[in-house]
Amino acid sequence: MKSYRKELWFNTKNRVEFINITRDVEEAVKESGVKEGLCLVNAMHITASVFINDDEPGLHEDYKEWLERLAPHEPISAYRHNRTGEDNGDAHLKRQIMGREVVVAITDGKLDFGPWEQIFYGEFDGQRRKRVLIKIIGE
Ligand code: ZN
């Protein structure tokens, strides 16, 4: 069995941002040489997500508005977590609902997606260096 590990690094301009990382993951699959296997992609931070959905800008704005209604960033004092001196209580909650990781099957050397599926990095407390882990196993 082959195994391959790679990190992707981000430093987003905005506090909340979604980045399509599908090409980077496809690149990693190519580098791994795996033809049949599994590809795990996970955020390595508890205020960021990796998720799969459509690359449609309207949908991404909908996500941002929906998440902001569920867990508004302000007032900062609304979150017990922020009593630690942090200001990212909302980002922990947003990450939870958007998920930590995705697993995609690799078939014939390619990510075996359903229609319109794309992989995104979801940042909820950005403007600092953060990373995503890609782990690929298979034959
Ligand atoms: Zn925190």
Side-chain angles (χ1 to χ4, degrees):
M1 191 195 73
K2 286 181 194 157
S3 113
Y4 184 77
R5 183 188 189 279
K6 187 177 190 178
E7 291 178 1
L8 305 177
W9 286 84
F10 305 90
N11 190 348
T12 60
K13 249 190 293 164
N14 304 305
R15 184 181 177 78
V16 176
E17 214 167 300
F18 299 140
I19 298 168
N20 190 333
I21 58 170
T22 311
R23 298 287 160 268
D24 301 288
V25 179
E26 284 171 345
E27 190 67 33
V29 171
K30 216 176 284 173
E31 289 160 10
S32 76
V34 169
K35 298 290 175 214
E36 297 293 324
L38 292 173
C39 176
L40 165 79
V41 188
N42 70 268
M44 295 186 88
H45 302 264
I46 50 182
T47 53
S49 290
V50 172
F51 63 94
I52 290 183
N53 218 300
D54 195 359
D55 194 2
E56 197 282 301
L59 176 66
H60 293 189
E61 288 312 303
D62 291 338
Y63 274 140
K64 285 178 192 164
E65 282 181 29
W66 177 64
L67 291 166
E68 202 53 33
R69 279 200 300 274
L70 286 173
H73 178 57
E74 287 176 326
I76 303 288
S77 61
Y79 299 91
R80 285 177 193 82
H81 177 66
N82 290 341
R83 290 180 197 163
T84 61
E86 291 191 79
D87 67 351
N88 63 5
D90 65 308
H92 288 275
L93 301 181
K94 286 164 175 152
R95 177 270 168 95
Q96 204 69 41
I97 206 156
M98 294 304 282
R100 171 183 183 265
E101 78 274 305
V102 300
V103 178
V104 183
I106 299 167
T107 305
D108 206 12
K110 291 200 169 97
L111 294 169
D112 203 341
F113 284 130
W116 304 108
E117 285 192 328
Q118 297 277 295
I119 308 172
F120 296 91
Y121 175 65
E123 177 61 80
F124 305 111
D125 183 21
Q127 298 163 323
R128 58 197 172 99
R129 269 169 63 74
K130 290 165 81 167
R131 64 200 160 127
V132 157
L133 173 68
I134 302 174
K135 183 85 182 193
I136 295 164
I137 56 168
E139 304 279 322

